[in-house]
Amino acid sequence: MKSIENNPKLYQLFIADALSEIGDVFYYVALITYASQLTNSSLAISLVTTFEFIPPVFSIIIGPTADKLCNKTKVSMIVNILQCTLYLINGLLFLKFQNWILFSLCLTINFISDTLGIITQEMEPIILKKVSPKISYEKKYGWLSAVAQSFSIGGKFLGGVLLTIMNNHYIFMSFINAATFGCAAVAMALIGNVITKKEIQDKEDEKSGVLEGIKFLKDNAKVRFIVVLLSNINIVLAPILPIAYILLANKEMYSPVNYSMSVSLLTAIDSLASILGPTFGLRLFKGKKALINSVMVGSIFSAFFCLSIFTRNIYVLMLTLFLASFFIGATIPLLFGGVIKNVPESKIGSVNGVIDTLLAITPPLSTFIFSSSVQYVSTYINVLILSVFSIFIILIIIKNRTNLF
């Protein structure tokens, strides 16, 4: 905290990111609530949750664009202003439209805003690197992730409270969201200019920044190995909670509390681990093999988390969920810290864009496949498949740990 307080620009960056996060969460809660009141509400809710997964997939395209933008903070400020304007318009739409037409317009605006936000996300590593060069990037990234996750949790709770107090007055929720992005724009303006100079690029670079990201992963076996591993670990982790929710709903798993409280507890445990992992987990892994060691420990506890379903006990599930989320949370800052150290500033967006897209694709696909297949195949058969796959990942890590690292 002292490091943050003694660095005003870093402090302002954290405020901007927190405000953007809380604004996104406020609106998500409002949109889900509105969707639940429509006819065919299940379809509306599915559309909201599905559209939340799509923008990060565009990182592979947006990353190279972010590289070409020199004044990173100025562009981030403009993006926040555009998002502020979108939600002001969104609020006014409630005065003119209703039901599915209104829902479709709101969903579109939210999707456009989230996609614009990816531009800021892909420029953030450079801003983070520039504003406090004396602090290691891994620590700063961990702190930023913890702040964003903390405000996400707080935003979900506060958003629900505000909706209740305002009697589901969605116009005000849109305006509040607009205000958070407006304040985030002010915070980015206070940071000042963070400008990166364009490096001389050959003709191949000019053709496609995406190729640069792919080329980096092709040439850097260590980073490529970790990204592929994390993508595969996501295949294991993503569907387990939805499967657990199904078991709890069918009363096939022991829990001392009712269904809604069980879901809340698991969500809270996952969120808490996602905050503590990037902040304190980094201290457990040091040296040249810190990254591979963190992935190996994370994969081991991911396998335990998967296998814990067979205990049919929520206490065991909560413990293994916390440990898996904690150690995977520690891995992400180490991964992107390695990218920052090995990639020229002019190509960081391209490389991070490819990585972000790869990591974003697997969770929704895996969740959809395994959570929907329980209607046709035994839940425990699905879990067994995921468990075998998770053990297979651990064996691959052990086999390649010495050779690559």
Side-chain angles (χ1 to χ4, degrees), residues 50-51 64 235 245 347 387 390:
T50 300
F51 270 66
I235 292 174
Y245 297 156
K347 300 176 183 177
S387 301
S390 65

Side-chain angles (χ1 to χ4, degrees), residues 70-138:
C70 292
N71 195 333
K72 309 293 186 184
T73 45
K74 183 178 180 180
V75 174
S76 293
M77 180 188 71
I78 292 170
V79 168
N80 282 316
I81 291 172
L82 288 173
Q83 290 174 295
C84 172
T85 305
L86 282 171
Y87 286 111
L88 287 173
I89 295 171
N90 188 89
L92 297 175
L93 290 175
F94 280 89
L95 301 174
K96 180 70 176 175
F97 303 97
Q98 58 184 347
N99 299 328
W100 271 90
I101 294 175
L102 175 60
F103 172 74
S104 300
L105 291 170
C106 292
L107 188 64
T108 302
I109 285 177
N110 188 55
F111 177 75
I112 294 170
S113 175
D114 287 349
T115 305
L116 284 171
I118 300 297
I119 299 173
T120 299
Q121 178 184 311
E122 296 304 331
M123 291 190 297
E124 206 167 56
I126 292 294
I127 300 173
L128 194 59
K129 178 183 177 184
K130 293 276 188 179
V131 295
S132 54
K134 293 183 180 179
I135 305 174
S136 74
Y137 181 82
E138 290 84 354

Side-chain angles (χ1 to χ4, degrees), residues 264-334:
S264 298
L265 281 172
L266 289 171
T267 304
I269 290 291
D270 189 27
S271 300
L272 179 63
S274 298
I275 294 170
L276 297 178
T279 332
F280 300 102
L282 291 173
R283 299 179 184 181
L284 303 176
F285 303 102
K286 296 179 181 179
K288 294 181 179 180
K289 294 190 176 183
L291 180 55
I292 187 62
N293 287 340
S294 67
V295 174
M296 184 168 68
V297 174
S299 64
I300 290 171
F301 283 113
S302 297
F304 284 151
F305 175 49
C306 197
L307 291 166
S308 68
I309 288 288
F310 291 105
T311 68
R312 303 188 185 191
N313 188 303
I314 196 172
Y315 290 124
V316 180
L317 190 71
M318 287 167 61
L319 175 61
T320 54
L321 168 63
F322 177 84
L323 293 171
S325 296
F326 178 88
F327 287 107
I328 294 299
T331 296
I332 303 300
L334 290 169

Side-chain angles (χ1 to χ4, degrees), residues 8-70:
K9 291 186 176 182
L10 185 61
Y11 188 67
Q12 287 151 5
L13 177 62
F14 279 28
I15 289 175
D17 200 69
L19 287 168
S20 298
E21 183 69 31
I22 201 169
D24 282 338
V25 171
F26 268 19
Y27 190 74
Y28 177 76
V29 172
L31 196 56
I32 281 285
T33 305
Y34 185 74
S36 68
Q37 298 173 355
L38 296 172
T39 54
N40 201 355
S41 59
S42 59
L43 173 60
I45 292 171
S46 296
L47 285 172
V48 175
T49 53
T50 300
F51 270 66
E52 285 292 309
F53 281 119
I54 297 175
V57 177
F58 293 140
S59 298
I60 194 170
I61 301 170
I62 296 173
T65 303
D67 282 335
K68 297 174 183 177
L69 302 170
C70 292

Side-chain angles (χ1 to χ4, degrees), residues 241-252 259 371-372 374 379:
L241 274 182
I243 287 174
Y245 297 156
I246 293 169
L247 292 174
L248 286 165
N250 296 333
K251 301 188 184 302
E252 294 181 43
Y259 179 76
S371 59
S372 60
V374 296
T379 301

Side-chain angles (χ1 to χ4, degrees), residues 131-168:
V131 295
S132 54
K134 293 183 180 179
I135 305 174
S136 74
Y137 181 82
E138 290 84 354
K139 286 184 179 180
K140 290 181 290 187
Y141 188 94
W143 295 340
L144 190 67
S145 298
V147 167
Q149 187 65 29
S150 298
F151 276 85
S152 176
I153 297 168
K156 287 173 184 175
F157 173 75
L158 189 57
V161 171
L162 285 174
L163 270 175
T164 303
I165 293 173
M166 295 178 180
N167 195 24
N168 291 347

